[in-house]
């Protein structure tokens, strides 16, 4: 099975591979200077707030929603509930890997799921500026793989579409409102597609990664799954300025983007850690979109998965309000705007589940000139000008001729008067100005 692995630029006791932190037993040089800070057992916290919050309208969104009452399932490598940010956030889980870890899924040797969980629902704790985008939401840990390293794959603990599908189904059956899937596959499966459809029908929104280029086995642009399935919200990553780069896979699976570079969040067996320092990662973009979906779901519980996804797409920041593209989808999410949107027939963007927005696009009308006789507008104007010129010249000729004739008649009259010694004869052109006709 060809797998799309998700890249992350940080080490948690080892090398980062495919977006999932490699087993700490692997002896590899550290990838970033923050390695020792993130090492399990070294509980260190960052006083800085997550950098992405400046683009995510966080303060404005929190005025209306903090995700309270919403459950987000993290279908991933597990969640370490020993991290102080998460011990009060996780309300349950399951292990579908069978590698000897906790049956409730509340452990995470690799650290990827723990990092995503912190983005979504990390609780505020002393000495740390880290907090989740939906800090009052609850989490389910759905553990579906141990790692993407060769050892995990050899032992049967790597990611599979079957376990991923089972994890999505379990999450939906256990009341998850939002299901975060920071994984992507080049080749989908009928089983995975059916799981996404079942989750949608159960009232869950699947938020899935659109993929990263650097760590992909197939780095070409194209659909990735489950993000490309109907009912899923596909996510791509932007850099710190909000721009989607070629680090992400482009394709029809992309619905929205979110900032995902230099992400500060929770770490397995430690405190805080900075991930994706060298390039944006769609894993973390997916985490933030799941957090945003939780905020929207808490504010508008009756809208359901289609309504939550629509709000995020319709209000996303983009150059053309009426168009999506395969690079950034409908644009960069704006959670506060998604929450406050009043859907109407004039709302521009994606098709709405609330009202008919087919006529909402506002575009300048196209201008075309098609003369009925096949001639150009310039040619028609030139012909009219030539006609007026000819008529004018003719009139001037007539007037000039009349003046000449008048003078000739006057000279003749004077000659006759001298010859006959009588009054001059008056012709039409010789009438005095005050004479009536």
């Amino acid at each position: 099975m060809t797998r799309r692995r998700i890249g992350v630029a940080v080490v948690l006791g080892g090398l980062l591979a495919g977006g999932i932190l490699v087993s700490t037993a692997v002896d590899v040089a550290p990838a970033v200077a923050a390695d020792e800070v993130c090492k399990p057992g070294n509980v260190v916290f960052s006083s800085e707030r997550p950098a992405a919050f400046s683009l995510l309208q966080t303060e404005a969104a929190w005025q209306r929603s903090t995700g309270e009452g919403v459950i987000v399932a993290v279908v991933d490598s597990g969640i370490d509930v020993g991290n102080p940010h998460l011990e009060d956030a996780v309300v349950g889980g399951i292990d579908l890997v069978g590698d000897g870890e906790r049956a409730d899924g509340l452990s995470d040797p690799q650290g990827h799921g723990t990092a995503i969980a912190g983005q979504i629902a990390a609780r505020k704790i002393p000495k740390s500026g880290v907090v989740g985008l939906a800090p009052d939401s609850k989490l389910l840990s759905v553990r579906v793989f141990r790692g993407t390293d060769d050892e995990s794959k050899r032992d049967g603990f790597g990611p599979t579409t079957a376990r991923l599908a089972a994890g999505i189904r379990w999450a939906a059956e256990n009341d998850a409102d939002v299901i975060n899937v920071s994984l992507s596959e080049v080749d989908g499966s009928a089983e995975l597609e059916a799981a996404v459809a079942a989750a949608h029908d159960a009232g869950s929104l699947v938020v899935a990664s659109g993929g990263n280029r650097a760590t992909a086995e197939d780095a070409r642009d194209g659909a990735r799954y489950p993000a490309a399935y109907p009912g899923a919200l596909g996510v791509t990553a932007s850099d710190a300025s909000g721009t989607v780069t070629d680090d992400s896979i482009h394709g029809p699976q992309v619905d929205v983007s979110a900032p995902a570079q230099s992400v500060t969040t929770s770490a397995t067996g430690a405190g805080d850690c900075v991930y994706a320092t060298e390039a944006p990662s769609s894993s973390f973009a997916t985490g933030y979109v799941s957090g945003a979906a939780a905020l929207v779901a808490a504010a508008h519980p009756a809208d359901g998965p289609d309504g939550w996804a629509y709000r995020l797409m319709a209000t996303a920041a983009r150059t053309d309000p009426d168009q999506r593209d395969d690079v950034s989808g409908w644009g960069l999410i704006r959670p506060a705007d998604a929450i406050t949107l009043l859907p109407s027939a004039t709302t521009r963007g994606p098709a709405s589940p609330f009202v008919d927005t087919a006529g909402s696009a506002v575009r300048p009308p196209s201008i075309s000139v098609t003369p009925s006789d096949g001639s150009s507008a310039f040619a028609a104007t030139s012909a009219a000008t030539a006609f007026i010129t000819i008529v004018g010249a003719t009139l001037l000729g007539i007037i000039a001729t009349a003046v000449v004739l008048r003078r000739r008649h006057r000279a003749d009259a004077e000659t006759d008067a001298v010859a006959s010694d009588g009054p001059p004869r008056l012709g039409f052109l010789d009438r005095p100005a005050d004479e009536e006709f």
Side-chain angles (χ1 to χ4, degrees), residues 17 21 31 57 71 218 226 235 382:
L21 297 173
Q57 301 181 318
I71 296 176
D218 182 349
V235 182
S382 299

Side-chain angles (χ1 to χ4, degrees), residues 132-211:
L133 185 57
D136 287 331
S137 62
K138 299 289 188 180
L139 299 173
L140 290 174
S141 176
V142 186
R143 191 165 180 265
V144 295
F145 65 90
R146 181 179 186 86
T148 58
D149 55 286
D150 291 340
E151 183 181 357
S152 294
K153 292 178 180 180
R154 184 188 65 237
D155 295 340
F157 302 140
T160 67
T161 53
R163 270 201 293 267
L164 186 55
I168 292 172
R169 286 184 178 277
W170 186 92
E173 292 167 358
N174 284 270
D175 302 323
D177 301 291
V178 179
I179 302 175
N180 183 97
V181 183
S182 287
L183 298 166
S184 61
E185 295 278 353
V186 172
D187 300 315
S189 69
E191 186 177 18
L192 186 57
E193 183 175 11
V196 173
H200 175 271
D201 292 344
S204 304
L205 174 61
V206 175
V207 181
S209 165

Side-chain angles (χ1 to χ4, degrees), residues 74-433:
V74 179
V75 181
D76 213 287
S77 61
I79 298 177
D80 175 22
V81 291
N83 187 291
H85 285 294
L86 301 172
E87 57 188 5
D88 294 329
V90 183
V91 294
I94 189 172
D95 173 60
L96 298 176
V97 182
D99 60 345
E101 293 293 324
R102 294 177 53 160
D104 57 8
L106 305 187
S107 61
D108 181 17
Q110 301 305 313
H112 190 255
T114 299
I116 301 299
Q119 287 183 272
I120 298 168
R123 289 349 190 202
K124 180 67 177 174
I125 62 173
K127 300 181 180 180
S128 175
V130 171
V131 63
L133 185 57
D136 287 331
S137 62
K138 299 289 188 180
L139 299 173
L140 290 174
S141 176
V142 186
R143 191 165 180 265
V144 295
F145 65 90
R146 181 179 186 86
T148 58
D149 55 286
D150 291 340
E151 183 181 357
S152 294
K153 292 178 180 180
R154 184 188 65 237
D155 295 340
F157 302 140
T160 67
T161 53
R163 270 201 293 267
L164 186 55
I168 292 172
R169 286 184 178 277
W170 186 92
E173 292 167 358
N174 284 270
D175 302 323
D177 301 291
V178 179
I179 302 175
N180 183 97
V181 183
S182 287
L183 298 166
S184 61
E185 295 278 353
V186 172
D187 300 315
S189 69
E191 186 177 18
L192 186 57
E193 183 175 11
V196 173
H200 175 271
D201 292 344
S204 304
L205 174 61
V206 175
V207 181
S209 165
N212 301 307
R213 199 177 308 279
T215 53
E217 293 181 2
D218 182 349
R220 294 172 297 178
D221 288 331
R224 296 294 187 269
Y225 303 95
Y229 289 134
L233 184 66
V235 182
T236 194
S238 80
D239 61 18
S241 70
T243 302
V244 176
T245 71
D246 279 341
D247 293 300
S248 297
I249 297 290
H250 309 320
Q253 75 279 13
V254 178
D255 293 311
V256 292
S257 65
Q261 188 166 2
S262 297
V263 176
T264 307
T265 183
S266 50
T268 285
D272 303 334
C273 188
V274 181
Y275 297 82
T277 57
E278 296 180 0
S281 166
S282 60
S283 285
F284 298 116
T286 304
Y288 278 137
V289 174
S290 290
L295 295 178
V296 173
H300 303 281
D303 286 359
D306 290 334
W308 305 331
Y310 170 74
R311 286 176 173 276
L312 289 167
M313 291 186 291
T315 58
R318 54 189 177 274
T319 302
D320 185 344
D322 303 311
Q323 288 287 337
R324 73 161 291 283
D325 58 53
D326 285 352
V327 176
S328 58
W330 288 103
L332 189 75
I333 60 166
R334 297 185 291 187
D337 291 347
I339 293 168
T340 58
L341 174 68
L342 298 175
S344 73
T346 61
T347 303
R348 298 166 69 178
S352 172
F354 303 106
V355 292
D356 182 7
T357 57
S360 65
V362 179
R363 295 179 179 277
S366 59
I367 299 175
S368 61
V369 177
T370 309
S372 59
D373 61 357
S375 62
S376 68
F378 175 77
T381 302
S382 299
T385 301
F387 174 77
I388 293 171
T389 301
I390 293 170
V391 172
T394 302
L395 289 175
L396 288 174
I398 293 173
I399 293 172
T401 302
V403 170
V404 170
L405 290 175
R406 179 177 179 178
R407 291 175 177 173
R408 181 175 298 173
H409 280 297
R410 181 174 296 171
D412 291 343
E414 290 175 352
T415 301
D416 292 341
V418 171
S420 62
D421 195 24
R425 294 174 297 173
L426 299 177
F428 177 77
L429 293 177
D430 298 321
R431 293 182 186 273

